[in-house]
Amino acid sequence: MTQSAAAQKPPATPRRLDPEDAQHALAEVQERLRRQQLVADLVHRQEEGDAKANLVEDLVHRQHEAELKTLLDGLHPADIAFILESLPKDERQSIWKLVSPEHDADVLLEVEDWVRESLIEAMDRQDLVAATGNMDADELADLAPDLPPDVVAEVQKGLTEEERAQLLEAMGYPEDSVGAIMDFEMVRVREDVTLEVVLRYLRRLHELPDHTDQIFVVDRQDKLQGILPLSRLLVSEPETEVRAVMNSDFLTLNPLDSDADAAGAFERYDLVSAPVMDDQGRLIGRVTIADVVDVMREDSQEQALSRAGLQEEDIFAPVSTALRNRAPWLLFNLCTAATASFVASQFEGTASQIVILAFLMSIVAGIGGNSGNQTMTLIIRALAMGRITGRNLWQLVKRELFVTLMVGLCGSLVAALFAWAISHSISIALVMMAAMVCNMLVGASVGVLVPMVRARFGKDPAMGSSVLLTFATDSLGFFIFLGLATIFLL
């Protein structure tokens, strides 16, 4: 008996997930680029017009390009995106030219915005149309702001009426809204058909949309009636009607909802996908866990940069661009540091008479800053998750101050022992203890107030928060410590 076609297929080769694969590929790309540059430098040292040397350079260059192309063809688009983000602009453009055209669209969707702009600049109009021509409407909407208008217009000509309407709809929603990240691909059925009919319908599809864990039940006006989990579809009797097994209690999103709120809902309810309904109750799209993970990652990156007063930038961007991004908050930090130094200078007499204070006051400022940073991190996280309201704000403030006081008392005992050990003075130890507790309370207060005030006025709670916290704990830390020393030690 002969084997079936399925049995004759070679066994699949599983790919083990290794976070270091992309780093290894990047190192190999950099090494090949380095070798290519070495050959070019050697050739340039030869006499000008040396035909043999130029021929050698051309052959070696072609060989290196072929090796790089083979390497890139075997990588996932996300790994290619990582490599492009990790290379200087000139090398990035060289590698981008070697990426297979079939991967162009996926790579453009994977890379960060600041890299995507440079990649699109390096592509001609024909290549851009080819790369974006087969994108879904929601994917094209993500790229549209970075694409030349004539390319977007050309791609729209190849869309169906429905796809064109979906594209215009997606482009019309605010950037940080659910409508901007929703997917239009989904499976819809009527409630009056049997599960057997639904199964036959699914088998006729080429493939299910990514992250399909439920089927949406709609009426003839596309109003959402319920959801049918695939798990329930598979275990129920085929003769059963959809209305008998569908869930009528389900979570929905509005296209104008914040994408951060949607991410919070996915995290809270362990969702894989969620329907998006307009104000008339019609199903217009869905949000999947893949979209939400991207939102969480971007929010996390933006929050980390904001706390240092930075905006997202190319790590290989020109110096002028980096200066515009970093200089404002650094100059502000310089002013705050100067203020702290000015405060300390007003107690020159105290510091000159008790020199040991100059070594201890940095501890007071540093511990206050660390304490405030812990509080600020918790507050910013709670604001992002929507857990802070007018009713629980004062309770939260009191809790943070009490926790800080308890931690401060414990830590200040250790600091007081250290101060006594190096100064042999009980008075200095007590001043050290009191100053540390007071400055930690200052840090906690600033850690609560700065994010809350910024959020109250519609600003990013994390923007420049670390700089403002450092200013408060340094200036007031020096003032408290040296002020107490002036009162009780002189």
Side-chain angles (χ1 to χ4, degrees):
M1 185 171 61
T2 60
Q3 293 179 320
S4 64
Q8 293 176 2
K9 288 183 179 180
T13 303
R15 180 181 178 186
R16 186 174 65 87
L17 178 63
D18 186 354
E20 295 185 356
D21 282 349
Q23 284 89 347
H24 291 160
L26 172 62
E28 191 168 348
V29 167
Q30 291 174 323
E31 177 61 21
R32 294 178 188 274
L33 290 173
R34 186 187 67 82
R35 293 177 184 175
Q36 185 173 316
Q37 186 61 45
L38 285 176
V39 172
D41 292 341
L42 288 174
V43 170
H44 291 160
R45 293 174 186 172
Q46 303 291 329
E47 296 182 7
E48 291 189 15
D50 190 331
K52 185 176 180 180
N54 291 334
L55 179 61
V56 170
E57 180 187 12
D58 184 60
L59 290 174
V60 173
H61 181 75
R62 290 176 181 272
Q63 180 183 355
H64 284 156
E65 281 194 344
E67 293 173 351
L68 285 169
K69 183 170 179 57
T70 301
L71 173 63
L72 294 171
D73 288 343
L75 296 176
H76 189 278
D79 293 334
I80 298 176
F82 170 78
I83 291 173
L84 293 171
E85 292 166 356
S86 306
L87 294 174
K89 187 173 182 179
D90 292 341
E91 295 181 357
R92 181 187 305 155
Q93 304 294 3
S94 300
I95 296 300
W96 177 232
K97 294 177 182 177
L98 301 177
V99 175
S100 176
E102 65 184 28
H103 288 157
D104 284 353
D106 293 329
V107 174
L108 286 175
L109 290 170
E110 292 285 348
V111 294
E112 300 287 352
D113 293 344
W114 44 270
V115 174
R116 184 185 300 132
E117 294 174 4
S118 65
L119 299 183
I120 289 176
E121 289 176 0
M123 301 175 69
D124 57 35
R125 184 176 182 276
Q126 184 177 357
D127 291 339
L128 279 173
V129 172
T132 57
N134 295 324
M135 285 185 176
D136 296 330
D138 57 305
E139 296 174 336
L140 187 57
D142 290 340
L143 291 185
D146 298 323
L147 294 173
D150 61 322
V151 172
V152 177
E154 182 67 24
V155 173
Q156 284 185 347
K157 295 178 182 178
L159 300 178
T160 64
E161 289 294 332
E162 181 182 8
E163 291 172 335
R164 191 176 298 114
Q166 291 173 349
L167 173 61
L168 295 176
E169 182 179 5
M171 293 173 61
Y173 290 116
E175 182 179 356
D176 296 329
S177 68
V178 166
I181 64 171
M182 70 179 177
D183 182 3
F184 295 103
E185 285 193 356
M186 53 194 162
V187 181
R188 290 176 280 197
V189 298
R190 301 278 187 263
E191 64 178 349
D192 57 352
V193 300
T194 65
L195 299 184
E196 184 178 3
V197 173
V198 175
L199 287 169
R200 286 204 304 267
Y201 169 66
L202 294 180
R203 293 190 189 101
R204 288 201 303 267
L205 298 177
H206 177 65
E207 62 180 356
L208 289 177
D210 291 338
H211 307 291
T212 297
D213 66 318
Q214 56 190 0
I215 296 172
F216 302 112
V217 184
V218 298
D219 61 15
R220 296 186 182 279
Q221 286 75 43
D222 268 345
K223 292 187 177 180
L224 189 60
Q225 305 298 307
I227 59 172
L228 175 61
L230 287 184
S231 57
R232 186 170 299 181
L233 169 65
L234 295 175
V235 301
S236 301
E237 292 296 332
E239 300 82 10
T240 309
E241 286 192 347
V242 169
R243 64 164 59 93
V245 294
M246 71 181 188
N247 287 337
S248 299
D249 183 18
F250 50 88
L251 180 141
T252 64
L253 302 172
N254 185 278
L256 295 179
D257 288 342
S258 165
D259 57 5
D261 292 340
F266 269 70
E267 181 182 9
R268 189 177 307 117
Y269 301 115
D270 295 328
L271 301 177
V272 175
S273 66
V276 181
M277 293 170 45
D278 63 13
D279 294 335
Q280 287 72 44
R282 291 176 299 186
L283 179 67
I284 60 174
R286 65 174 185 141
V287 174
T288 69
I289 187 64
D291 305 315
V292 168
V293 169
D294 289 339
V295 170
M296 290 180 172
R297 177 179 57 83
E298 291 173 3
D299 287 349
S300 176
Q301 292 175 347
E302 290 176 1
Q303 189 177 105
L305 291 171
S306 295
R307 294 193 63 185
L310 294 175
Q311 296 177 349
E312 190 176 48
E313 71 171 39
D314 186 348
I315 58 175
F316 299 106
V319 173
S320 58
T321 302
L323 286 175
R324 286 195 300 270
N325 188 15
R326 305 182 193 185
W329 279 102
L330 287 178
L331 292 176
F332 180 75
N333 197 14
L334 177 61
C335 294
T336 61
T339 302
S341 298
F342 174 77
V343 170
S345 69
Q346 301 306 298
F347 297 90
E348 181 181 1
T350 302
S352 62
Q353 294 184 49
I354 310 176
V355 179
I356 194 67
L357 298 179
F359 300 97
L360 294 176
M361 65 181 185
S362 61
I363 299 178
V364 174
I367 294 298
N370 290 337
S371 175
N373 193 48
Q374 291 178 344
T375 300
M376 183 172 286
T377 300
L378 291 174
I379 295 299
I380 292 175
R381 174 62 176 167
L383 284 170
M385 299 298 294
R387 293 172 178 162
I388 296 180
T389 64
R391 290 190 174 185
N392 64 15
L393 175 59
W394 178 239
Q395 180 182 0
L396 181 63
V397 171
K398 290 191 295 184
R399 176 190 176 277
E400 285 301 316
L401 292 177
F402 181 73
V403 170
T404 301
L405 178 61
M406 293 297 100
V407 174
L409 289 174
C410 296
S412 62
L413 287 174
V414 178
L417 289 173
F418 174 75
W420 175 80
I422 63 175
S423 66
H424 303 292
S425 171
I426 295 294
S427 299
I428 291 178
L430 292 175
V431 167
M432 180 74 175
M433 183 176 180
M436 180 171 290
V437 172
C438 291
N439 200 36
M440 289 180 69
L441 291 173
V442 168
S445 301
V446 173
V448 172
L449 291 176
V450 169
M452 290 300 303
V453 171
R454 289 189 61 83
R456 177 66 179 81
F457 289 97
K459 304 295 184 180
D460 182 358
M463 177 61 74
S465 56
S466 292
V467 178
L468 295 172
L469 176 64
T470 301
F471 164 61
T473 53
D474 282 0
S475 300
L476 294 178
F478 292 160
F479 177 79
I480 293 170
F481 182 53
L482 295 175
L484 290 175
T486 300
I487 295 173
F488 295 106
L489 301 181
L490 295 183

